[in-house]
Amino acid sequence: MINKIPILVKNFCLSTFLCGVLLWCLPFSGYADEFAAEVKQAEVTLHGDYYLLSADIVYQLSEKAMEALQNGVPLFWDIQFKVLEQRDVLWDKTLVDTAIRYRLQYHALLNMYRVRDEGDGTVYNFSTLFAALDLMSTVRDFRLIGGLSELAPEKQYLLAMKVNFDRDALPLPLRPIAYVDRQWYLSSDWTLWPLKK
Amino acid sequence: MAFEKIKLPFNLSVVILFGLIMLSLQLMSSAMQESSQLSAMYSWLLLFNALGSVVLLILVGANIYSLIQHTKRREAGSRLTTRMVSLFVVLALAPAVIVFYFSMQFLHQGIDSWFNVEIDRAMEDALELSQASLDQRMRWHLKQTQQLTDRLEDSSESLVTMEIENLRELSGASEMTLFSRQGRIIASSSINPSDILPSLPDEHIWLQLRQNSEYVAVAPFHEEELMIRVIVTVKAREPQYLQALYPVPVRIADLADSVEFAFVRYQEMNFLRNSLKMSFSLALSLVLLMSLSAAIWVAFINIRNIIAPVKELVKGTQAVASGQYDQQLPVIAQDDLGFLVESFNDMTHRIAVARDETRQAGVEVENQRAYLETILANLTAGVISVDALYKIRTANQAAYRIFHIHVNQFIGRTLVELVEGYAELAEPLKSIQRLLEQADDIWQQRIAFLGPNGRQELLCRGTPLFSQDGQRVGAVVVFDDVTDLIQAQKNAAWGEVARRLAHEIKNPLTPIQLSAERLQHKLADKLGPTDANILKRSTQTIVQQVEAMKEMVDDFSEYAKPSKKQTVNIDLPKMVQEVLALYALKSGVKFKADYETGLLIINGDPVSIRQVLHNLIKNALEAIDAHGLIEISLHRVQKNNTDFIEIALYDDGPGIKDEQIEKIFEPYVTTKAKGTGLGLAIVKKIIEEHGGAIWIDTSRKVGAGFIIQLPASNSEQL
């Protein structure tokens, strides 16, 4: 198991640079806030030739997000994963950039919450919001990278994960507010840890 | 045309600017449509437009700040720019704000009008109806399934699979499954034989089932389909659960879906009402802000361009006001202002030309004046001009030479004021002043006075000056020092008299004398003693008178001759001593000489001066009749910065009568029975020829007194 290393306590110097690069590349990414999602636990296991990732995420829906959901507004989250190759001079090279995209919507007729995995189109229906969020919170054995052969043994690799709330998928009138209202800052920060070979 | 070349790119840029703004706003407007492909870019477009507005506002702000600074500095054209910009802003802002205000009103009212209580309730009722419909179906299927369990209770385990198949077909369920208490599948039947694995209830359903011993719910199945899942407990057996999945008819499912879609949409719209209003307001505000900012900015640029020639004109006018007439302004545009600038350029050019001409004329006038002044300065005649108040305006060098007052002291003072500093000039200056005041026409007057160089005689000619309207504006006085001329005339007259005397009188005298002596010689012997005696006396008388006449003629000749033949420095005390020594032997006469210490030297002809002294002493001796006192004193006096030697000679004789004082120095004037009357005339002539003056000292009551002043010699060398 690989313990998560929060970005702020990382002790190697490149992390600061990496953090800067990531923040620069993603200006509207996560914002440490009371409503931000949080990656509580994550682990990468080597299963044969594959790296499988499992993680637990905590979503904290704000009052406004909840209200919007109850009024039929679909909410979208992207759980983003990146594998970065650390380089001394240049910025880190992104080897893998993939995501799981969830859509959460309330159905008034059946009084249920529907979660749809936008990747494969699977739909899950839940009678409670808690159950719906529980599905989205759990990542189990997500296949990250092809195999050991893709990783050079002499290089250092980083694994980055982030839960990104897609504000651009909100209905148009809500978007300007979503960019200025803290209640809509539901994304998590990037969480980084080294990938052990 | 240059105008076209300058104007076109600017207009094009403005068109491009407004085109870009319109495009950006149009894109934002399009993006606001949910269905639009630009919808995803809405945030970026909004941000772009907001940034554009900020940039334009900064531009406008910078222009306003710059304008305020210019206005504070009172720069040319700034106030006009402020007025024009204010006018434009007010004119543009007023309708825009009105339109904006009512648009907002309509927008808000329009959005609000979409939602009302009736529709709200209808929507909720529709949803409730759908739910009730499904609910009823659920209850019916629950009841149906519960009834089916009775049949299952009777069937054995081996037959249960068959029974479920029958029950499924009987009930019309699409799938029927019997679970054990642990959730294991005991038997299952599906309408679709390919479905090997039946639909499994999740943990939540199991939880609910264990609590209520039955479960019924509608759930979506395969996206579009709706299924009613019913699970009931089969009581007879060891607790088992029968799950039946009943499909909701497609029509009902579609209707329910439609109602839900409409309800959700309405609900969403209702929820987004305020956001929608804000969003539209934001877009509208951005449109207003951008278009107005752009318009004001363009207005600033345009007004600046319009004002530029005015600014140049103001600067040009200021330059002209400060005397720079060479200012030529650039003609930026061929419009009315351009015409104005061209006219201004013409005007300044003409003014510059006129100024040059005036300057040239001024130089010429100045040259002329300098020329006239040179002529005036070099005139031998003194010229003084006075204004209406008789203050001297101009005076030439000759006036200085004549009066010995520096020209600078003349200017701005009246003639009378000059008297205060120069008492000896009181007489002529006052005379001239009086004549100036009295005369209304050209006047001429000869004025004699005792100046620093002795007696001077001026020939003054005054001309009053009048303006065109007849006002007296001053006068010009021209005066010549005619002392020498008069003297020369006198000398010439006396010379002529002497010559005539010599010619007309002296020539016959000798034959008269000779004839008288011959008569005496021839007749003396032939006549008796008495007659002879008469003849002798008569002849003697004739001879004596002829001798006297000869002496008189000689005196005239002497008088007529110039006395200042050879000038040397004369030590006056020494000469007086020598002369007095000749008379010292005369008994009964006392001489008293009083000399001032120091050098008393004059420059003159020693023979003439000696004659003056002899004449005066003889005159005095004759006056006192060889008994009395003769006093001679010598002093140095100063008049008009010139040193004079004053010789004063007094006797204690009978003195001179008042009526004779004025004529005493003229020829043939004498108080004595004997004498030609030329003695004092010769004295006066000699003194005047030496630049001196002689007058009777009338202040002395006893005897007669003569005062002679002769210019002291500048060189102290003897």
Side-chain angles (χ1 to χ4, degrees):
Chain A
M1 182 179 165
I2 301 154
N3 288 325
K4 184 193 76 169
I5 304 168
I7 191 166
L8 295 174
V9 295
K10 281 188 75 176
N11 53 3
F12 52 95
C13 60
L14 264 175
S15 65
T16 317
F17 174 69
L18 186 78
C19 167
V21 168
L22 281 171
L23 286 174
W24 181 77
C25 291
L26 304 157
F28 291 106
S29 64
Y31 190 89
D33 211 72
E34 52 184 317
F35 303 112
E38 198 182 341
V39 179
K40 277 285 181 195
Q41 194 188 349
E43 63 177 8
V44 176
T45 51
L46 190 60
H47 192 268
D49 236 10
Y50 301 106
Y51 278 102
L52 298 178
L53 185 137
S54 298
D56 289 326
I57 301 157
V58 177
Y59 293 93
Q60 303 169 87
L61 290 195
S62 65
E63 199 180 319
K64 283 193 178 169
M66 207 82 92
E67 193 188 350
L69 188 65
Q70 291 298 332
N71 281 287
V73 175
L75 307 180
F76 289 82
W77 275 273
D78 292 308
I79 305 171
Q80 292 178 292
F81 307 98
K82 279 187 182 181
V83 175
L84 305 165
E85 180 191 320
Q86 285 187 299
R87 293 190 287 190
D88 291 338
V89 183
L90 293 168
W91 56 87
D92 291 354
K93 184 181 174 185
T94 305
L95 296 178
V96 175
D97 188 357
T98 184
I100 304 170
R101 185 173 172 86
Y102 284 122
R103 170 198 165 115
L104 174 64
Q105 193 170 14
Y106 173 69
H107 278 262
L109 179 71
L110 304 175
N111 190 23
M112 39 181 19
Y113 296 89
R114 183 180 286 181
V115 177
R116 182 187 151 101
D117 184 337
E118 296 284 296
D120 57 11
T122 318
V123 176
Y124 307 93
N125 292 294
F126 301 96
S127 50
T128 61
L129 176 62
F130 178 77
L133 288 176
D134 190 47
L135 177 88
M136 288 162 56
S137 302
T138 317
V139 178
R140 289 290 172 264
D141 298 337
F142 182 74
R143 192 172 140 182
L144 266 181
I145 196 162
L148 280 171
S149 55
E150 289 185 27
L151 305 177
E154 72 280 2
K155 288 179 180 167
Q156 296 288 324
Y157 295 95
L158 282 173
L159 186 62
M161 182 179 167
K162 174 188 172 147
V163 181
N164 184 43
F165 175 70
D166 190 358
R167 277 175 292 198
D168 283 330
L170 285 170
L172 199 120
L174 263 183
R175 276 183 231 167
I177 302 162
Y179 277 107
V180 293
D181 192 343
R182 287 286 170 84
Q183 293 221 13
W184 287 103
Y185 279 59
L186 305 177
S187 301
S188 77
D189 280 327
W190 281 97
T191 306
L192 302 164
W193 60 93
L195 192 64
K196 284 184 182 169
K197 290 187 279 286
Chain B
M1 267 174 80
F3 166 65
E4 293 291 338
K5 280 175 192 168
I6 295 163
K7 203 76 179 175
L8 195 62
F10 172 71
N11 286 340
L12 198 63
S13 63
V14 169
V15 169
I16 290 169
L17 174 74
F18 275 102
L20 281 172
I21 290 169
M22 281 299 291
L23 180 69
S24 173
L25 291 171
Q26 182 58 44
L27 283 173
M28 192 179 72
S29 169
S30 301
M32 287 183 81
Q33 309 298 319
E34 284 281 357
S35 55
S36 170
Q37 289 182 339
L38 291 165
S39 175
M41 290 171 67
Y42 173 73
S43 301
W44 291 106
L45 285 167
L46 195 67
L47 187 71
F48 179 77
N49 281 309
L51 282 176
S53 301
V54 169
V55 168
L56 284 169
L57 277 175
I58 288 170
L59 284 171
V60 170
N63 275 296
I64 290 171
Y65 177 77
S66 163
L67 185 60
I68 289 169
Q69 292 298 313
H70 287 186
T71 313
K72 273 186 184 170
R73 286 201 295 269
R74 294 178 171 275
E75 277 186 19
S78 58
R79 272 170 287 179
L80 187 59
T81 311
T82 310
R83 283 184 64 185
M84 284 180 79
V85 168
S86 309
L87 188 69
F88 176 82
V89 168
V90 168
L91 287 180
L93 209 59
V97 165
I98 291 167
V99 169
F100 177 74
Y101 174 74
F102 284 104
S103 299
M104 293 295 274
Q105 288 280 316
F106 293 143
L107 186 69
H108 285 221
Q109 286 167 4
I111 290 173
D112 284 339
S113 70
W114 297 347
F115 308 96
N116 57 49
V117 181
E118 287 79 13
I119 297 176
D120 216 24
R121 189 170 299 156
M123 279 291 175
E124 280 173 10
D125 289 351
L127 187 73
E128 208 178 320
L129 190 65
S130 300
Q131 282 172 336
S133 165
L134 286 173
D135 207 36
Q136 193 184 16
R137 188 165 281 272
M138 279 195 300
R139 279 201 304 277
W140 188 79
H141 280 301
L142 179 67
K143 199 175 175 184
Q144 188 187 18
T145 311
Q146 278 169 344
Q147 285 169 357
L148 288 177
T149 54
D150 299 339
R151 294 179 65 172
L152 265 182
E153 284 170 8
D154 301 335
S155 53
S156 62
E157 271 192 37
S158 55
L159 291 174
V160 78
T161 312
M162 191 77 77
E163 191 59 37
I164 283 179
E165 180 79 25
N166 288 336
L167 288 175
R168 186 192 61 77
E169 283 176 7
L170 191 71
S171 62
S174 64
E175 189 185 294
M176 196 166 276
T177 312
L178 186 68
F179 293 99
S180 69
R181 184 189 170 90
Q182 290 76 27
R184 188 174 54 86
I185 302 164
I186 298 168
S188 174
S189 171
S190 173
I191 198 167
N192 192 354
S194 59
D195 288 345
I196 299 162
L197 195 66
S199 169
L200 299 173
D202 57 22
E203 284 178 12
H204 178 71
I205 296 173
W206 279 117
L207 191 70
Q208 213 175 339
L209 190 61
R210 282 184 190 110
Q211 282 174 355
N212 302 333
S213 72
E214 58 184 26
Y215 171 85
V216 60
V218 183
F221 199 75
H222 297 307
E223 286 274 341
E224 301 296 320
E225 269 183 86
L226 278 179
M227 282 287 183
I228 297 171
R229 187 194 294 265
V230 180
I231 304 173
V232 291
T233 311
V234 183
K235 292 171 185 171
R237 296 168 180 278
E238 192 64 17
Q240 288 179 343
Y241 302 104
L242 179 66
Q243 173 187 268
L245 295 177
Y246 298 98
V248 176
V250 176
R251 177 65 187 151
I252 292 173
D254 281 352
L255 285 171
D257 195 46
S258 173
V259 167
E260 191 199 16
F261 179 78
F263 177 78
V264 166
R265 186 79 188 136
Y266 182 78
Q267 195 81 356
E268 190 184 341
M269 290 299 280
N270 202 1
F271 168 70
L272 292 174
R273 191 201 299 187
N274 288 331
S275 306
L276 200 63
K277 280 184 200 170
M278 209 198 77
S279 188
F280 280 131
S281 305
L282 192 68
L284 207 58
S285 306
L286 271 180
V287 169
L288 178 78
L289 198 65
M290 255 191 131
S291 48
L292 262 183
S293 312
I296 292 171
W297 182 52
V298 170
F300 259 110
I301 293 169
N302 270 311
I303 288 168
R304 205 176 293 144
N305 284 346
I306 293 167
I307 296 295
V310 179
K311 220 169 170 177
E312 290 293 328
L313 270 175
V314 173
K315 280 185 189 167
T317 317
Q318 284 170 347
V320 168
S322 64
Q324 297 168 24
Y325 301 113
D326 304 326
Q327 195 84 14
Q328 287 290 305
L329 305 178
V331 182
I332 297 167
Q334 295 293 326
D335 51 9
D336 292 341
L337 282 171
F339 176 71
L340 195 61
V341 170
E342 274 181 1
S343 303
F344 178 84
N345 285 342
D346 277 354
M347 184 189 77
T348 50
H349 177 68
R350 280 165 193 271
I351 290 174
V353 169
R355 179 205 50 188
D356 291 344
E357 284 174 356
T358 310
R359 196 177 280 166
Q360 188 62 35
V363 168
E364 279 176 18
V365 167
E366 185 58 33
N367 286 342
Q368 203 72 29
R369 200 183 68 81
Y371 177 68
L372 282 173
E373 266 193 5
T374 310
I375 290 174
L376 261 181
N378 290 294
L379 275 179
T380 52
V383 179
I384 293 174
S385 69
V386 293
D387 60 14
L389 298 169
Y390 305 106
K391 287 192 173 169
I392 296 165
R393 290 179 63 185
T394 55
N396 67 348
Q397 286 294 326
Y400 163 68
R401 280 200 306 274
I402 292 165
F403 285 132
H404 291 269
I405 301 173
H406 202 270
V407 174
N408 291 342
Q409 292 175 313
F410 278 99
I411 312 298
R413 303 174 71 184
T414 60
L415 291 170
V416 178
E417 283 169 359
L418 283 174
V419 171
E420 291 167 14
Y422 304 93
E424 66 278 3
L425 298 173
E427 194 186 334
L429 291 175
K430 279 181 180 172
S431 301
I432 293 169
Q433 176 79 22
R434 192 179 62 251
L435 287 162
L436 282 172
E437 288 171 9
Q438 289 171 355
D440 290 328
D441 205 351
I442 297 170
W443 52 266
Q444 189 167 326
Q445 182 83 30
R446 192 177 286 181
I447 298 166
F449 68 100
L450 187 65
N453 295 331
R455 184 184 162 76
Q456 276 181 278
E457 198 146 348
L458 300 180
L459 180 64
C460 296
R461 196 177 299 110
T463 309
L465 301 174
F466 295 96
S467 64
Q468 285 183 337
D469 54 355
Q471 290 286 319
R472 188 170 177 149
V473 291
V476 178
V477 184
V478 181
F479 46 92
D480 281 304
D481 189 352
V482 292
T483 315
D484 292 340
L485 185 67
I486 301 282
Q487 193 58 48
Q489 281 175 348
K490 276 183 181 175
N491 290 348
W494 284 114
E496 184 63 20
V497 169
R499 193 182 63 77
R500 282 179 182 258
L501 277 172
H503 189 260
E504 301 292 337
I505 298 168
K506 198 177 176 181
N507 286 354
L509 288 179
T510 307
I512 290 168
Q513 190 182 359
L514 289 174
S515 299
E517 282 172 352
R518 192 174 176 182
L519 277 175
Q520 167 72 25
H521 182 71
K522 291 282 183 187
L523 296 173
D525 297 336
K526 294 174 182 172
L527 294 174
T530 310
D531 292 335
N533 194 28
I534 291 167
L535 182 65
K536 188 184 177 183
R537 282 207 303 273
S538 300
T539 308
Q540 276 177 347
T541 304
I542 289 168
V543 169
Q544 278 175 359
Q545 290 305 313
V546 166
E547 280 296 328
M549 226 166 192
K550 273 185 179 175
E551 273 180 31
M552 191 182 76
V553 172
D554 286 342
D555 282 350
F556 268 118
S557 298
E558 187 67 28
Y559 175 74
K561 276 189 288 185
S563 59
K564 208 172 176 180
K565 293 162 190 165
Q566 196 176 5
T567 59
V568 292
N569 281 340
I570 302 163
D571 185 1
L572 268 180
K574 192 179 169 188
M575 182 177 269
V576 170
Q577 284 282 20
E578 285 170 6
V579 172
L580 287 179
L582 297 173
Y583 298 95
L585 296 173
K586 294 252 180 192
S587 57
V589 179
K590 286 178 82 178
F591 291 98
K592 187 181 174 189
D594 181 18
Y595 313 128
E596 190 183 274
T597 52
L599 290 170
L600 301 166
I601 295 165
I602 59 155
N603 187 268
D605 180 29
V607 178
S608 303
I609 299 300
R610 201 179 287 271
Q611 189 182 355
V612 166
L613 292 172
H614 277 299
N615 281 7
L616 284 174
I617 291 167
K618 263 201 274 185
N619 203 49
L621 283 172
E622 285 167 8
I624 60 173
D625 199 19
H627 293 285
L629 178 69
I630 293 172
E631 293 175 55
I632 293 179
S633 64
L634 292 169
H635 307 283
R636 181 182 282 268
V637 293
Q638 203 168 28
K639 283 171 83 176
N640 298 341
N641 300 326
T642 311
D643 282 339
F644 287 88
I645 309 294
E646 190 178 88
I647 306 165
L649 193 141
Y650 298 103
D651 62 49
D652 56 354
I656 303 159
K657 290 172 183 166
D658 287 345
E659 62 270 18
Q660 287 178 326
I661 285 174
E662 284 184 13
K663 294 178 181 175
I664 195 79
F665 292 110
E666 290 190 8
Y668 298 111
V669 175
T670 181
T671 55
K672 293 170 288 199
K674 194 183 168 191
T676 57
L678 280 172
L680 286 176
I682 287 168
V683 165
K684 185 175 190 298
K685 177 174 162 279
I686 290 168
I687 294 299
E688 285 178 353
E689 279 173 355
H690 280 80
I694 181 166
W695 64 91
I696 309 277
D697 185 2
T698 51
S699 61
R700 193 176 171 91
K701 301 296 177 197
V702 180
F706 293 89
I707 293 174
I708 298 167
Q709 281 182 349
L710 287 164
S713 172
N714 289 329
S715 62
E716 303 296 326
Q717 301 290 322
L718 281 173

